[in-house]
Amino acid sequence: MMAISATVGSSVLISFGQVAFQSGFNPILMICAWILGGILILPEMLLLAETAISFPGNGSAYYWLKKANWMACSFWLGWILVLMVSATALASATLALGNIIGTLAHITNQWLIKLFGILILFALAIVQIFIKNSSGKTQIIFTILKGLPITFVLFIAMIYGNTDSFNSEIVQKDLSKIFLATYVLLPATTMTLFAYSGIEAITYVTEEVENPRKNVLWTLIVATGLIIFLYLILLIALLTINEPFSWLDKNDGFSNVWYYAIINNPNIPHVLAYIFSGLAILLFVGSLNAFLLYQSRLIFKMSEEKDLFKFFQKTTKRTNMPWAAMLLLIFAALIYILWNQLYELTNYFIIAISFLKLIVNSVIIFLRRKHPDYQKIFNNFWFYFFIIIGYLGAIIAIVGTFLAMYYYGTQNNNMWALWNSLILIAVMLAGYPVYYIKNYVVKIVNNFKNQKKIINHKK
């Protein structure tokens, strides 16, 4: 349930429109993209399961890098997680939430839409920081509410659905593109990875799982299968509600495809679209609440490990919440929110996650070969087969993201997002040398302090 809850959320509502766009709005290609995305994810989950079982400590890859004594890489991983992954995930949910509110209020001003999302983000942070036990109670409430919009869509599909999407001429016209994987399926499959991220959440708490050798492995296998099945059911439901061309709005982009699929179907009462959007708002608020709670803990942990300043360990006396870590996370997210659109943010997230997978796969190989405590579940053939798929999946995601942004840029005559991605990669790569610069500066400061103590002692 933890794996499913961490995966199925705001990313579901954000991803479907982007996959549709990259698939040329072809229903068959969309289904293929979601299946291929799931196939790429499964070997990665098996690798994570074997490593988590071998080192059942909380923290997943960050903990494993410490076990391997790859201190520079652990700092680098934390750098990417905080500044790119956590911040873009938080920014994506905030921006999508603002877009839904803007749609309901018929507001097209992008700055005003962003302001709505930011105000809700700060309100949630204030509640968590100052109201005692609020985080635990709200997590329970939002976990229950999270399934409502998904159930509501399935309900609408069962009552009003039809098969017009599969009878459309576009299915016959563009089906030949299935062979052009580098042009259609590669970018579309890449977009699904945003929705599939989160299944690995169970590896962060392996230490607390009973009989991890059995339960962690089967949890990841079963959860991955269930999530692939759920996404396919949701996709088919959305296709029966309306044809893919009716999912998008020129002013809203990809964030509210479910609303437009319902509202643009003349046979469905408009009030159902508004009810769905209201439920979707609760889902996004719940996602933001969870992001603030869990991802601020990574910053706190990095501060404890001396990869960040001690300042970020500060907590409130009343709630014991890491307010400094939370503010750093919000500040990083604000940079993305103010200068980017939702489509760009999901691409940044995928690029960052893909770089992390390259680092994680490398440390897994090292630990399996060198560490005496590593417990092998798979023989060498299957292990290296999974590793190869893992590396290929990460490379495919990076290449697919750039193809997706190039295609999007040519369609909208705006290549700025493509250049922004290159800047993002430069910032990610800068994280590795920053570790050594940080250590050098700390060494100089410590030497200065020691010299000052010696002088004072002599005096």
Side-chain angles (χ1 to χ4, degrees):
M1 291 305 295
M2 178 182 178
I4 293 172
S5 178
T7 307
V8 180
S10 58
S11 59
V12 177
L13 304 188
I14 294 171
S15 301
F16 276 82
Q18 297 187 5
V19 175
F21 178 78
Q22 294 299 333
S23 300
F25 301 99
N26 187 303
I28 304 301
L29 294 179
M30 288 183 221
I31 293 172
C32 290
W34 282 99
I35 293 173
L36 286 174
I39 291 172
L40 287 175
I41 286 290
L42 185 56
E44 177 191 335
M45 294 301 108
L46 296 174
L47 287 173
L48 294 177
E50 184 178 85
T51 315
I53 290 165
S54 301
F55 306 103
N58 292 348
S60 192
Y62 188 75
Y63 173 68
W64 303 339
L65 287 163
K66 295 288 185 182
K67 295 292 287 186
N69 204 31
W70 288 14
M71 297 306 174
C73 279
S74 67
F75 174 84
W76 192 22
L77 181 133
W79 171 282
I80 296 173
L81 276 174
V82 172
L83 295 182
M84 286 78 182
V85 177
S86 298
T88 54
L90 190 66
S92 298
T94 302
L95 198 52
L97 174 59
N99 284 342
I100 292 177
I101 295 173
T103 299
L104 291 176
H106 302 290
I107 297 172
T108 57
N109 186 302
Q110 287 298 312
W111 291 106
L112 192 57
I113 287 171
K114 290 179 179 183
L115 179 62
F116 283 129
I118 291 170
L119 289 175
I120 294 174
L121 177 62
F122 273 102
L124 289 170
I126 290 170
V127 169
Q128 287 200 24
I129 291 172
F130 294 107
I131 299 179
K132 194 173 182 179
N133 297 326
S134 62
S135 58
K137 293 176 181 178
T138 52
Q139 287 302 311
I140 295 170
I141 294 170
F142 285 124
T143 299
I144 295 170
L145 294 176
K146 187 178 285 188
L148 292 180
I150 295 172
T151 305
F152 193 69
V153 164
L154 296 176
F155 172 77
I156 294 174
M158 284 187 289
I159 296 177
Y160 298 100
N162 57 66
T163 60
D164 289 350
S165 292
F166 297 96
N167 296 327
S168 174
E169 292 182 4
I170 195 169
V171 174
Q172 307 300 325
K173 176 183 175 183
D174 290 342
L175 193 57
S176 59
K177 289 182 180 179
I178 195 168
F179 300 106
L180 305 175
T182 56
Y183 180 66
V184 178
L185 279 183
L186 190 59
T189 301
T190 299
M191 292 298 104
T192 67
L193 300 181
F194 181 74
Y196 282 120
S197 63
I199 303 174
E200 72 283 354
I202 189 68
T203 64
Y204 285 88
V205 292
T206 309
E207 189 177 357
E208 302 167 35
V209 177
E210 292 183 10
N211 191 6
R213 186 176 181 87
K214 174 186 175 183
N215 291 329
V216 170
L217 177 63
W218 282 107
T219 290
L220 290 173
I221 293 172
V222 173
T224 302
L226 287 174
I227 289 168
I228 294 171
F229 177 75
L230 175 62
Y231 286 168
L232 289 175
I233 290 296
L234 285 173
L235 174 60
I236 292 170
L238 194 55
L239 287 167
T240 63
I241 290 173
N242 216 327
E243 296 182 12
F245 277 119
S246 301
W247 295 1
L248 306 184
D249 179 82
K250 63 180 181 179
N251 296 318
D252 190 54
F254 305 112
S255 63
N256 207 2
V257 297
W258 307 78
Y259 169 85
Y260 289 108
I262 299 169
I263 205 83
N264 291 330
N265 187 328
N267 298 319
I268 301 177
H270 286 187
V271 67
L272 297 182
Y274 293 109
I275 292 173
F276 172 81
S277 293
L279 295 174
I281 287 173
L282 294 177
L283 188 150
F284 277 108
V285 171
S287 293
L288 287 177
N289 194 61
F291 288 153
L292 287 173
L293 179 64
Y294 295 119
Q295 296 181 5
S296 61
R297 298 308 192 272
L298 170 64
I299 298 174
F300 186 87
K301 179 67 174 177
M302 289 182 65
S303 180
E304 284 187 327
E305 297 288 338
K306 299 181 179 178
D307 281 337
L308 283 175
F309 296 114
K310 190 177 180 180
F311 173 79
F312 295 108
Q313 295 179 42
K314 289 185 176 294
T315 59
T316 56
K317 291 182 179 179
R318 178 177 174 79
T319 62
N320 200 35
M321 294 295 291
W323 62 268
M326 198 174 289
L327 290 180
L328 174 63
L329 179 62
I330 292 174
F331 177 75
L334 285 177
I335 295 174
Y336 289 104
I337 294 168
L338 294 174
W339 280 280
N340 295 278
Q341 299 301 318
L342 182 61
Y343 179 76
E344 297 166 347
L345 292 179
T346 54
N347 281 285
Y348 299 160
F349 178 90
I350 293 169
I351 291 173
I353 282 289
S354 300
F355 265 86
L356 290 184
K357 289 177 181 179
L358 295 175
I359 299 172
V360 172
N361 283 348
S362 299
V363 77
I364 288 174
I365 294 172
F366 176 84
L367 290 170
R368 181 176 166 112
R369 294 183 60 190
K370 301 292 186 181
H371 204 286
D373 295 335
Y374 196 96
Q375 301 178 35
K376 297 179 180 180
I377 296 177
F378 309 106
N379 61 36
N380 285 339
F381 172 82
W382 285 111
F383 174 79
Y384 286 106
F385 175 76
F386 296 151
I387 283 289
I388 291 170
I389 296 297
Y391 277 124
L392 284 176
I395 294 169
I396 285 171
I398 294 171
V399 174
T401 301
F402 278 98
L403 285 173
M405 283 188 291
Y406 175 78
Y407 179 58
Y408 181 77
T410 56
Q411 294 291 311
N412 295 276
N413 297 317
N414 182 8
M415 288 293 179
W416 185 241
L418 190 61
W419 293 109
N420 278 348
S421 298
L422 296 175
I423 295 172
L424 181 81
I425 289 177
V427 173
M428 282 195 293
L429 295 176
Y432 193 83
V434 163
Y435 171 80
Y436 294 100
I437 296 171
K438 176 185 75 76
N439 284 355
Y440 179 73
V441 171
V442 169
K443 186 178 179 180
I444 292 175
V445 171
N446 289 338
N447 287 338
F448 176 77
K449 289 181 178 178
N450 291 334
Q451 290 293 331
K452 191 173 181 180
K453 286 181 181 178
I454 292 171
I455 293 171
N456 291 334
H457 181 71
K458 288 181 177 179
K459 287 181 179 180

